[in-house]
Amino acid sequence: MVNRQAPERLSEQALAAFGSVDGARPLGLYLHVPFCATRCGYCDFNTYTAGELGSSSSPQSWMEGVRRELDTAAALLSPTREVSTVFVGGGTPSLLGGEGLAGLLGAVRDSFDLAPGAEVTTESNPESTSPEFFGRLREAGFTRISLGMQSAAPHVLSVLERTHTPGRALQAAREAVDAGFEHLNLDLIYGTPGESDADLAASIDAVLSVPVDHVSAYALIVEDGTAFARKVRRGEVPMPDDDVLAARYEMLDARLSAAGLTWYEVSNWALPQPDSACRHNEAYWRSDDWWGIGPGAHSHVNGVRWWNQKHPATYSASLAEGRLPVGGQEMLSAEDVHTEAVMLRLRMRDGLPAAMLDDAERARADVAVVAGLLVVESGAYVLTDRGRLLADGVVRDILD
């Protein structure tokens, strides 16, 4: 285990902040699996195919690094802190297989105590799952599955360079339920060039044909440096249209709401029953504490934010040498904390408590109420249906 004096490039001020946190404050762990079988053209996540990594890294060396970072995190944080949520993301975590993911959760338990009723989620690619895979995860203690479906239209999946067939995501969802998972999420992407209203409607129908209790839906964003961005720049595909994206969002919200799923964050809908909403994601939007484990993972603890070195080989080598793999850090000022609280809390259905704003900000929020972008409910400003379409602008206006 790395001792408290070993980490470099996290300031003494940052390390001191870790030990001053109330042990009862919720703590989440995010574990980043950087491996993918292929690279999707729209994705800018910190992921690598086997060909890109070559012999410089492997799942084994990555896992050794993860174990070391887990031990380091446990040593630096209060010994009384239990982990409330665990989220395994990527990349493609399901490439590790059921045994690999069970071993990853076992490594978490070797370093931390999980709180009673802890939420434990993994993302999965439908093509790398099976009934046996889901059965092993359930046995290991996972409680939620998030499947990347994106679309039910084959031509949309082709534009996105997704390798799974539309029907496989639905079959995987049923397999997860049969394995005993009560909490199941399907991800959709809308606004892909070539997608029609009918395509999105068919995708929503497909999602609702399986027993999901959570749906995430994200507008396609053209990220700099991706293959998709290069295609847009060359004129091979058009940039997603803002008006089309807004109309598609309204369709999603109407159809999901009619099926009993309500929005609890701008891009997420869940059934109104215990634990259907993803508690780990809610922790991000509340600016709770989380430690990101793995290459490129970001962390936030008590006003300290830092991020790991991105390449798996560099990440693992730093930890093997007794150093935290820190790529950079920042200490958040009171102004930073306030700005982020407004940005994130306003995205949630519970809204932004008016008490968090100063007089000038409340006055500007009241202007948004008059404009029909916000309503006041139980002492909090909540986005209206129209306000959700303009959420970023509403935030800017309040903070200006």
Side-chain angles (χ1 to χ4, degrees):
M1 181 181 296
V2 181
N3 63 41
R4 192 181 181 97
Q5 285 70 47
E8 65 179 23
R9 291 160 54 188
L10 268 182
S11 67
E12 288 300 319
Q13 184 183 8
L15 296 176
F18 294 167
S20 65
V21 185
D22 181 354
R25 181 177 166 89
L27 173 67
L29 290 179
Y30 170 77
L31 296 106
H32 185 69
V33 180
F35 310 114
C36 279
T38 60
R39 180 177 297 280
C40 298
Y42 64 91
C43 180
D44 73 335
F45 294 165
N46 187 44
T47 62
Y48 303 84
T49 64
E52 291 169 334
L53 285 175
S55 60
S56 67
S57 184
S58 68
Q60 291 73 32
S61 62
W62 163 81
M63 187 65 189
E64 290 170 5
V66 164
R67 287 185 177 276
R68 290 188 175 105
E69 190 178 5
L70 283 166
D71 281 347
T72 302
L76 291 175
L77 297 174
S78 168
T80 62
R81 297 196 76 178
E82 294 179 320
V83 172
S84 302
T85 63
V86 177
F87 194 103
V88 184
T92 310
S94 48
L95 286 180
L96 299 178
E99 285 301 325
L101 284 169
L104 185 60
L105 184 54
V108 170
R109 289 196 173 102
D110 287 343
S111 300
F112 286 93
D113 291 328
L114 297 188
E119 176 190 87
V120 184
T121 306
T122 185
E123 295 176 341
S124 298
N125 186 318
E127 288 298 306
S128 50
T129 63
S130 66
E132 295 75 21
F133 170 85
F134 292 119
R136 184 67 184 96
L137 294 190
R138 195 72 190 95
E139 177 187 323
F142 283 83
T143 64
R144 294 179 66 92
I145 297 293
S146 181
L147 290 166
M149 176 176 168
Q150 279 66 55
S151 176
H155 65 278
V156 173
L157 293 176
S158 177
V159 172
L160 294 173
E161 299 181 25
R162 297 289 296 188
T163 58
H164 67 266
T165 59
R168 176 57 204 157
L170 304 179
Q171 183 181 359
R174 296 186 183 98
E175 291 168 356
V177 171
D178 289 344
F181 282 97
E182 298 178 5
H183 304 300
L184 176 65
N185 174 68
L186 284 175
D187 275 351
L188 291 174
I189 291 177
Y190 61 93
T192 303
E195 178 192 63
S196 66
D197 288 348
D199 290 331
L200 180 57
S203 296
I204 299 169
D205 287 342
V207 166
L208 297 176
S209 73
V210 294
V212 297
D213 67 339
H214 190 288
V215 176
S216 300
Y218 303 100
L220 178 64
I221 298 175
V222 180
E223 301 285 3
D224 290 341
T226 62
F228 196 89
R230 291 190 288 274
K231 288 182 179 180
V232 170
R233 190 167 57 249
R234 293 193 297 262
E236 297 173 15
V237 293
M239 179 74 77
D241 181 88
D242 288 342
D243 290 337
V244 170
L245 293 177
R248 299 276 163 79
Y249 180 87
E250 291 175 328
M251 177 194 296
L252 275 157
D253 186 54
R255 297 285 296 277
L256 294 176
S257 297
L261 290 95
T262 58
W263 76 282
Y264 71 97
E265 190 275 339
V266 169
S267 298
N268 291 271
W269 292 258
L271 291 177
Q273 60 191 33
D275 294 329
S276 285
C278 180
R279 284 189 275 139
H280 186 85
N281 285 341
E282 287 181 315
Y284 292 152
W285 298 316
R286 289 194 305 265
S287 297
D288 287 346
D289 290 346
W290 71 89
W291 193 300
I293 303 288
H298 286 233
S299 304
H300 170 267
V301 175
N302 198 24
V304 184
R305 182 162 50 213
W306 72 99
W307 46 95
N308 285 346
Q309 295 161 341
K310 296 184 70 172
H311 198 280
T314 307
Y315 164 83
S316 297
S318 293
L319 285 156
E321 294 168 1
R323 296 180 285 110
L324 273 176
V326 179
Q329 74 159 62
E330 55 185 347
M331 302 292 295
L332 300 181
S333 66
E335 182 180 358
D336 293 332
V337 171
H338 176 72
T339 297
E340 292 194 359
V342 173
M343 291 173 58
L344 297 172
R345 292 292 290 269
L346 198 63
R347 292 183 61 88
M348 301 180 70
R349 179 63 182 82
D350 291 343
L352 173 67
M356 294 180 66
L357 302 179
D358 62 28
D359 290 344
E361 290 168 337
R362 278 194 295 272
R364 291 192 289 267
D366 289 338
V367 171
V369 171
V370 174
L373 302 175
L374 294 173
V375 294
V376 179
E377 297 179 359
S378 302
Y381 292 103
V382 178
L383 290 167
T384 63
D385 291 348
R386 180 165 167 262
R388 277 186 278 161
L389 298 174
L390 303 168
D392 291 344
V394 175
V395 168
R396 287 194 298 270
D397 288 345
I398 291 174
L399 292 171
D400 187 9

